Amino acid sequence: MPEGDTVWQAARRLDEALAGRVLTRADLRVPRFATADLTGRAVLDVTPRGKHLLARIEGGLTLHSHLRMDGAWVVCPTGRRPRGGPEHQIRAVLGNAERTAYGYRLPVLELLRTAEEDRVVGHLGPDLLGPDWDPAEAVRRLLADPARPLGEALLDQRSLAGIGNVYKSELAFLAAVTPWLPVGELAPDVPARLVATAHRLLVANRDRPDRRTTTSGRPGTPLYVYGRAGRPCLRCGAPVRRAELGERVTYWCPGCQHGPDGGSAPTD
């Protein structure tokens, strides 16, 4: 599932291609909105909110989409064949005279009044890449249920918006605790430090083509633990472990991280 920095990059590409231009083509290929005609309206902006994308359109309308596991927006010059997948996977087309955006495999696509955006994003916690970022509120929400495992709390977009499976594993490693440790058992200084680290990493990676959490300059080591099961930890050399956390895969180092062990598999 794309994380906050990836969605931010998608929003920027869409905004650069569409904002301030009049739609000459608009095709929403979902039954509920198939008859909606947006041609002749200007796109005002495309804004990310956590992992949600909000394309605001002239006339008080917003096209809301969410990529979830494998959705994608592909932008190409108008008239050129897109390369995001088979034609039947396209759920939305928004185009102007110069550029056209194609939404592939979008599991969430709906047209709503801009005044009603809170209906789809109002539940989200502070947005790590948003103008309303509030670290104190993010800490409060993260600790709201002391018995909740850290990994679950980090993935809950109501705590703070933008963290996915990769950052969940990397942040737990950087906090030196396992993702199964209840948040109420974190040392007093850890929650604020963890939230600050999350913000710093997403801000740093929103402008990078490849995500990085390490400071290592060695090739092939952009992440500390994610995707590295069975390989030596970059800090202590112990084999990185892999296990399930709910429906998600998680990675951790038994040498560097303390807390409950969620079980493990030696290799990816």
Side-chain angles (χ1 to χ4, degrees):
M1 180 179 290
E3 313 212 7
D5 49 4
T6 303
V7 174
W8 193 92
Q9 291 172 8
R12 181 171 61 182
R13 290 193 300 270
L14 289 169
D15 190 75
E16 290 174 350
L18 302 175
R21 297 177 175 89
V22 173
L23 291 171
T24 57
R25 184 183 179 190
D27 185 5
L28 305 183
R29 300 178 183 177
V30 293
R32 184 180 175 188
F33 303 106
T35 60
D37 184 8
L38 301 176
T39 57
R41 299 174 186 251
V43 175
L44 304 179
D45 63 75
V46 182
T47 300
R49 183 73 172 89
K51 299 181 185 181
H52 299 253
L53 286 164
L54 302 171
R56 298 180 179 121
I57 300 168
E58 188 179 27
L61 297 175
T62 293
L63 185 64
H64 166 234
S65 60
H66 195 296
L67 306 181
R68 288 193 179 165
M69 292 301 293
D70 62 348
W73 280 97
V74 175
V75 177
C76 62
T78 294
R80 181 179 297 177
R81 183 181 179 86
R83 297 184 177 181
E87 173 82 13
H88 71 267
Q89 293 183 348
I90 297 175
R91 297 290 179 266
V93 182
L94 298 175
N96 54 54
E98 293 82 26
R99 310 284 284 177
T100 300
Y102 297 85
Y104 283 86
R105 302 172 298 277
L106 299 175
V108 175
L109 183 70
E110 60 179 325
L111 190 65
L112 64 151
R113 294 288 178 186
T114 301
E116 298 174 355
E117 285 181 358
D118 272 359
R119 177 169 62 81
V120 293
V121 296
H123 66 286
L124 298 175
D127 187 346
L128 284 153
L129 294 178
D132 63 340
W133 171 240
D134 184 341
E137 176 63 12
V139 169
R140 186 191 70 79
R141 291 186 179 219
L142 190 69
L143 300 178
D145 181 357
R148 195 174 198 188
L150 173 63
E152 290 184 12
L154 287 172
L155 288 175
D156 189 342
Q157 301 302 294
R158 295 169 298 181
S159 300
L160 56 169
I163 291 178
N165 214 31
V166 176
Y167 281 115
K168 173 207 70 183
S169 293
E170 295 295 292
L171 288 167
F173 175 83
L174 291 168
V177 297
T178 70
W180 297 275
L181 184 74
V183 293
E185 296 182 23
L186 293 170
D189 65 320
V190 169
R193 179 161 48 87
L194 189 151
V195 164
T197 300
H199 182 244
R200 174 176 58 81
L201 289 176
L202 265 77
V203 168
N205 283 308
R206 70 183 181 186
D207 294 318
R208 292 174 177 164
D210 299 304
R211 183 180 294 124
R212 174 173 289 276
T213 61
T214 72
T215 56
S216 171
R218 287 184 290 167
T221 59
L223 305 174
Y224 283 106
V225 290
Y226 190 86
R228 292 179 50 83
R231 300 172 64 184
C233 172
L234 297 178
R235 285 187 173 171
C236 74
V240 172
R241 299 293 182 180
R242 174 184 184 273
E244 302 293 327
L245 179 62
E247 297 180 354
R248 309 287 185 87
V249 175
T250 193
Y251 298 83
W252 87 103
C253 171
C256 293
Q257 296 171 255
H258 72 85
D261 185 328
S264 64
T267 59
D268 279 322

